[in-house]
Amino acid sequence: MKRITERHSVVVVTLITSFIGSFAGSALNLAVPSIGEELSIGAISVSWIINGFVLAVAAFAVPFGRLADLIDRRRILNLGILTFALSSGLTVFVHSFFLLIGLRVIQGIGSAMIFGTNQALLISLFPPERRGRMLGLSVAAVYSGLTAGPVLGGILNDQFGWRSIFLVTAFA
């Protein structure tokens, strides 16, 4: 019975983090003009708010996946969740372009820890005949986050300002 509860917990955590990480990567796209206006920065500079996150995820996902294999997948996942949540929460209070970029990179590093461990955890907990279903659910969560990001991010930005996007991702 304990094993079933553990599996369900891992599935829930991996699906939520897969959704939120993807959401965070795509939700700011419609908020970029608002951020640029508020922080008085141009279009090229403001694009680094998106690029910094994406580059950090791309650069660190494989190394953190390997580190998780060597140390402990759950520990790296938990550290990734904490890093992501803290950087998202701190971004709500930012009034500096460079600090915003730095926190977005840190948020991307947290996402890399999450993405580098989620699927490995699912594979390690489920027998071969159930892995395809679990990985399919994980991929569905990623694409749901990517799809919902611009829509929900646009609504949040329009109704409550761009900082609300970070607030939602910090506490989701």
Side-chain angles (χ1 to χ4, degrees):
M1 188 68 165
K2 179 182 179 239
R3 187 75 173 159
I4 292 171
T5 304
E6 177 186 1
R7 284 183 180 171
H8 284 102
S9 298
V10 170
V11 170
V12 168
V13 168
T14 58
L15 294 181
I16 290 170
T17 56
S18 292
F19 177 87
I20 293 299
S22 302
F23 176 85
S26 66
L28 280 184
N29 291 334
L30 296 176
V32 166
S34 300
I35 297 170
E37 185 178 320
E38 183 178 323
L39 299 179
S40 300
I41 50 177
I44 293 173
S45 295
V46 82
S47 70
W48 280 103
I49 296 167
I50 305 296
N51 295 339
F53 176 85
V54 173
L55 287 172
V57 172
F60 291 104
V62 171
F64 277 122
R66 178 66 178 141
L67 185 63
D69 288 341
L70 296 173
I71 297 175
D72 181 29
R73 290 181 186 125
R74 290 177 195 202
R75 185 177 295 163
I76 298 298
L77 176 62
N78 289 334
L79 183 60
I81 292 169
L82 179 66
T83 301
F84 181 88
L86 285 176
S87 60
S88 295
L90 290 173
T91 304
V92 173
F93 304 105
V94 166
H95 294 286
S96 159
F97 168 68
F98 293 107
L99 187 55
L100 177 59
I101 297 294
L103 285 170
R104 274 296 276 178
V105 168
I106 293 169
Q107 189 185 42
I109 291 169
S111 285
M113 290 181 206
I114 292 166
F115 288 136
T117 56
N118 270 355
Q119 295 197 0
L121 271 170
L122 290 174
I123 289 169
S124 69
L125 282 178
F126 288 93
E129 62 272 6
R130 294 192 57 204
R131 287 181 189 155
R133 181 171 186 225
M134 293 302 113
L135 293 175
L137 288 172
S138 179
V139 169
V142 168
Y143 280 100
S144 295
L146 288 171
T147 303
V151 175
L152 296 177
I155 292 169
L156 287 168
N157 180 55
D158 186 53
Q159 296 298 311
F160 307 105
W162 62 269
R163 295 171 194 282
S164 65
I165 297 168
F166 291 105
L167 194 61
V168 166
T169 59
F171 294 105

